[in-house]
């Protein structure tokens, strides 16, 4: 057991050294599952992200790189069952029957949206509803670089008319547009601009719980954020104030500080982080 672990550690260090130039030229996306349940992250377009979908058990981390100019979305699927061919079903966030998503997920689902350019734009949106708490933390960037997201579990306060249930358990919270399909709730027709599409009772409930996330289509001023040259940590079921780390320039870089692997990391967290890092090298 000890010899195997030492060999794995040695192999990781070699791979990290060889990847250094690649990582420095790319944007690092670290996806962390802090939930008590397994999450199946989905990404579109996902060619550079494990094919667009994979499994993360509780406390596991995936480290991936985004190509220059990438623009896309990331969300979490819950309650999934996939066979050995990557075919199956999910209770929330499904992109058809595929493990690796080539299309957007079915609402309701919490979404992280990114446009990487000279100045990056990013946000977490509840416009299509909510299924899991989600936080986006920029690291190594310049500019405002605020933490975006919804770290409140809206399943506990979802209005009954918006709730999606599996038996007696609420598994997702739909948007008012999805439920009622009116121009006012969907910001279309005469409500299709920022002057006429204003907060509703339901979007205000979302905004009160998650002030750093989109609550309706024109909720731009307090919901979309910018940063330059940043890496990003996407965390499911985590507080917006919780420190997070990513692997950058041959060391772990954490929010608020930069440091290499040290005693402050729990062994399970280190093992999970590096285990999935190896998998990412070969994906």
């Amino acid at each position: 057991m000890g010899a195997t672990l030492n060999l794995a550690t040695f192999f990781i260090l070699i791979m990290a050294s060889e990847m250094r130039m690649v990582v420095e030229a790319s944007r690092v996306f670290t996806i962390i599952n802090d939930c008590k349940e397994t999450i199946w992250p989905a990404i579109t377009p996902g060619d550079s992200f494990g094919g667009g979908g994979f499994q993360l058990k509780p406390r596991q981390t995936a480290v991936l790189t985004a190509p220059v100019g990438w623009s896309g979305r990331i969300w979490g699927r819950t309650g999934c069952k996939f066979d050995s061919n990557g075919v199956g079903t999910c209770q929330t966030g499904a992109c058809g029957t595929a493990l690796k998503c080539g299309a957007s997920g079915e609402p309701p689902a919490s979404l992280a949206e990114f446009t990487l350019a000279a100045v990056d734009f990013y946000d977490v949106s509840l416009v299509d509803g909510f299924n899991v708490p989600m936080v986006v933390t920029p690291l190594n960037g310049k500019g405002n670089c605020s933490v975006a997201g919804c770290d409140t579990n809206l399943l506990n306060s979802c209005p009954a008319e918006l709730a999606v249930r599996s038996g007696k358990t609420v598994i997702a919270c739909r948007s008012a547009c999805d439920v009622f399909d009116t121009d006012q709730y969907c910001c279309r027709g005469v409500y299709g601009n920022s002057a006429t599409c204003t907060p509703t009772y339901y979007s205000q409930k979302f905004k009160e719980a998650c002030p750093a996330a989109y609550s309706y289509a024109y909720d731009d001023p307090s919901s979309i954020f910018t940063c330059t040259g940043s890496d990003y940590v996407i965390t499911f079921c985590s507080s917006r104030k919780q420190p997070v780390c990513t692997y950058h320039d041959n060391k772990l870089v954490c929010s608020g500080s930069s440091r290499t692997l040290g005693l402050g990391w729990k062994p399970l967290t280190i093992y999970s982080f590096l285990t999935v890092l190896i998998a990412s090298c070969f994906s």
Side-chain angles (χ1 to χ4, degrees), residues 90-237:
C90 295
Q91 288 185 321
T92 70
C95 55
T97 60
L99 170 63
K100 299 181 182 297
C101 292
S104 297
E106 298 175 7
S110 319
L111 297 174
E113 302 172 309
F114 297 87
T115 297
L116 306 182
V119 176
D120 297 346
F121 289 83
Y122 61 97
D123 66 83
V124 170
S125 174
L126 308 181
V127 174
D128 289 338
F130 172 94
N131 68 334
V132 63
M134 190 178 198
V135 171
V136 174
T137 305
L139 290 175
N140 310 316
K142 297 179 180 180
N144 188 308
C145 302
S146 297
V147 178
C150 178
D151 55 5
T152 299
N153 189 351
L154 295 180
L155 303 184
N156 297 327
S157 58
C158 182
E161 58 271 33
L162 305 186
V164 178
R165 298 178 181 273
S166 175
K168 296 182 179 181
T169 303
V170 177
I171 60 172
C173 192
R174 298 169 69 186
S175 69
C177 172
D178 191 26
V179 173
F180 303 113
D181 194 27
T182 66
D183 288 352
Q184 180 180 10
Y185 286 131
C186 296
C187 292
R188 66 190 181 208
V190 296
Y191 295 95
N193 60 73
S194 59
T196 57
C197 184
T198 56
T200 66
Y201 166 78
Y202 294 104
S203 69
Q204 287 177 328
K205 296 290 286 184
F206 280 15
K207 196 65 178 180
E208 289 170 5
C210 300
Y214 265 94
S215 59
Y216 72 103
Y218 290 98
D219 190 16
D220 299 271
S222 61
S223 307
I224 192 166
F225 301 95
T226 60
C227 194
T228 300
S230 180
D231 298 325
Y232 294 95
V233 180
I234 298 92
T235 313
F236 297 106
C237 302

Side-chain angles (χ1 to χ4, degrees), residues 48-120:
S48 299
F49 295 90
F54 48 90
Q55 174 184 284
L56 277 185
K57 295 180 180 179
R59 306 298 296 170
Q60 278 194 326
T61 300
V63 183
L64 305 161
T65 55
V68 175
W70 183 77
S71 179
R73 52 177 49 185
I74 299 173
W75 70 98
R77 294 168 289 177
T78 64
C80 301
K81 294 181 180 180
F82 292 102
D83 62 21
S84 57
N85 296 316
V87 177
T89 60
C90 295
Q91 288 185 321
T92 70
C95 55
T97 60
L99 170 63
K100 299 181 182 297
C101 292
S104 297
E106 298 175 7
S110 319
L111 297 174
E113 302 172 309
F114 297 87
T115 297
L116 306 182
V119 176
D120 297 346

